[in-house]
Amino acid sequence: MTFELTRLRAIVLALAMLLTTALLIEVAQPAGADAAAKKTKKKKGPKQGPAGLKFYSPPKKLPTAHGKLIWQRKAGGSVPLKSAASTKLVLYTSRSTTGKQIAVSGSVSIPKGKAPKGGWPIISYAHGTTGIADKCAPSRNTKGGVADPYISYMDPLQNAWLRAGYAVARTDYQGLGVPGVNHPFLVGVPAGRSVLDIVSASRQLGLKIGNRYLIAGHSQGGHAALFAAGLASSYSKDIKLRGTVSYAPASHFKEQASFLPGLTSPNGLTALATLLVRGMSISYPQLNANEALSDTILPFYPQTLTKCLSELAGSDNLGGIAPSELIRSGYDMTPLNGILEAQNPSVTTSAPILLAQGTADSTTFPFLTDQLDTELVGKGDTVDYKKYEGVDHGGVVAAAQNDVMSFFESRLPSGK
């Protein structure tokens, strides 16, 4: 009896000790568990975007600030750069001409190896004209696709930037890629904001990208690059611009419009000019394309929203029409001229500019870039203007590569 009683007391005591221990653990657990949960939540990576073209359809509720990453995913197809450790598709926030919050797509590539102290320096690249239709977006590019020749020519140079130790961000621009919003082609402010905001968004990928950056852009992108440089100090204060490269930038649209009556032979400039009217009308709805464009052009006008430049510039499309036939006879150009003049990229920026121009360029005429150089210098900008003898519009990016790499390294050393 005494033995049984002693055994019973031992069991009760053991149970009491177990219960006490459990209670102590339970009492101590919540604070530590919450802290661990919060810590885990903080370490969680950027949001994974959906597969396929659903990636480009943003959520109904966007982050309230510009330059915020919405989501990302691994890039596929011909988008990844071969010299990159990884290339991510990104969807991020920017602001439209009117200041409305908007989603923009693009891609970000980082170099191979270990990031330097302070993170990878990054180059935000602004692409040349591909078109206005969503399928023309560089982040949707496919090998041999209709926009591929207007995109992939930059791959060798951008791979060289990566090998030199620079991350590369490539915006699609507002309205290219993302459905429901049309691309304001050659409207400076939204293009510049797209170029800047992808840099801020790239720093939220967890890829060790620093806050110092460079800008580069060709043709339409040269125009966007300069507008971005002009906006940089007031619009994106969290990142620091060190320099801008503008290859053969589009400029002086008002002056170019005055040349149209004298261009009486069919060529691809008609497609570019029609895209320009479409782009201006997207940001400036007071511009009525049905009033401005001739009856020869209007049947092709809807195709600016469905076809890329390579298709529109064909002889069976707008490229088969002379530029002199673009504007309707008797149309008052005054409103359009005011809009065009506002898009001239003669900006003011504290960061130095490398301006590159081929002397044989028949798309961006050299005398227009000469004039732009004079305007930029007149505004107090530091400009190094390089001209490349006998080089055409597409060839200037390769011709200028050595000068560009020296400029990058002098303004923002890569650490490699």
Side-chain angles (χ1 to χ4, degrees):
M1 182 72 175
T2 304
F3 173 78
E4 291 296 331
L5 185 59
T6 302
R7 186 180 179 189
L8 181 61
R9 284 175 179 171
I11 292 172
V12 170
L13 182 61
L15 288 172
M17 290 176 68
L18 286 171
L19 182 60
T20 301
T21 303
L23 286 170
L24 287 171
I25 292 172
E26 188 175 350
V27 170
Q29 181 77 7
D34 285 350
K38 287 178 181 178
K39 191 174 182 181
T40 302
K41 190 173 182 180
K42 285 181 182 178
K43 285 186 176 181
K44 188 177 180 181
K47 185 175 181 180
Q48 182 81 3
L53 293 180
K54 289 183 179 179
F55 181 89
Y56 295 88
S57 297
K60 290 182 180 179
K61 189 174 182 180
L62 297 176
T64 55
H66 64 88
K68 297 297 181 182
L69 183 68
I70 299 170
W71 55 47
Q72 56 79 38
R73 79 164 195 244
K74 184 179 179 181
S78 60
V79 176
L81 292 169
K82 290 182 179 179
S83 296
S86 69
T87 296
K88 300 285 188 180
L89 292 185
V90 294
L91 196 69
Y92 62 97
T93 60
S94 191
R95 288 182 182 163
S96 70
T97 308
T98 59
K100 180 182 176 182
Q101 203 75 342
I102 193 170
V104 183
S105 55
S107 66
V108 177
S109 302
I110 59 164
K112 296 174 183 177
K114 184 179 179 181
K117 185 178 179 180
W120 296 112
I122 186 167
I123 300 167
S124 187
Y125 178 72
H127 65 83
T129 304
T130 59
I132 286 178
D134 287 339
K135 69 178 184 179
C136 312
S139 75
R140 289 195 185 191
N141 189 38
T142 56
K143 188 175 182 180
V146 290
D148 188 45
Y150 296 84
I151 298 168
S152 59
Y153 74 98
M154 279 300 300
D155 287 0
L157 291 91
Q158 291 170 349
N159 280 315
W161 300 349
L162 285 161
R163 291 193 297 272
Y166 297 95
V168 178
R170 296 173 288 174
T171 181
D172 287 336
Y173 302 136
Q174 294 182 20
L176 260 180
V178 177
V181 180
N182 292 327
H183 172 46
F185 177 63
L186 285 173
V187 179
V189 169
R193 289 172 176 171
S194 299
V195 171
L196 296 172
D197 282 327
I198 196 172
V199 177
S200 297
S202 71
R203 302 186 66 229
Q204 298 155 42
L205 286 167
L207 299 176
K208 296 183 179 180
I209 293 173
N211 68 345
R212 298 179 302 163
Y213 70 106
L214 299 156
I215 296 172
H218 176 223
S219 192
Q220 176 190 356
H223 173 268
L226 290 173
F227 265 94
L231 294 167
S233 61
S234 60
Y235 182 74
S236 297
K237 296 182 179 180
D238 61 318
I239 49 178
K240 303 181 187 303
L241 177 63
R242 300 306 304 273
T244 301
V245 173
S246 180
Y247 307 90
S251 70
H252 300 96
F253 306 126
K254 178 184 173 182
E255 289 88 337
Q256 292 194 62
S258 68
F259 305 156
L260 292 176
L263 302 175
T264 56
S265 298
N267 66 69
L269 288 175
T270 304
L272 285 168
T274 307
L275 286 172
L276 181 65
V277 172
R278 171 70 80 179
M280 298 299 126
S281 67
I282 288 166
S283 282
Y284 300 91
Q286 66 268 34
L287 173 60
N288 189 326
N290 289 323
E291 295 177 358
L293 298 175
S294 72
D295 289 339
T296 306
I297 299 292
L298 282 176
F300 297 96
Y301 189 63
Q303 296 181 38
T304 58
L305 297 180
T306 61
K307 294 183 181 294
C308 297
L309 179 60
S310 60
E311 299 167 293
L312 296 171
S315 59
D316 59 344
N317 207 289
L318 290 164
I321 303 171
S324 59
E325 297 183 53
L326 181 77
I327 300 298
R328 184 177 296 277
S329 178
Y331 176 71
D332 181 7
M333 287 286 291
T334 305
L336 178 56
N337 282 337
I339 293 169
L340 294 177
E341 192 167 19
Q343 311 315 317
N344 190 49
S346 55
V347 302
T348 301
T349 177
S350 59
I353 297 168
L354 174 61
L355 194 60
Q357 176 67 47
T359 61
D361 193 332
S362 59
T363 301
T364 297
F365 299 111
F367 77 90
L368 294 175
T369 308
D370 293 348
Q371 186 177 332
L372 179 61
D373 173 53
T374 301
E375 293 166 351
L376 292 169
V377 172
K379 290 192 171 185
D381 296 332
T382 301
V383 183
D384 184 5
Y385 185 22
K386 302 282 189 182
K387 297 178 82 170
Y388 300 91
E389 194 64 34
V391 173
D392 63 12
H393 189 64
V396 70
V397 292
Q401 179 71 341
N402 288 339
D403 291 326
V404 168
M405 293 304 297
S406 296
F407 178 80
F408 286 164
E409 190 63 28
S410 67
R411 295 305 307 153
L412 181 56
S414 67
K416 276 200 171 182

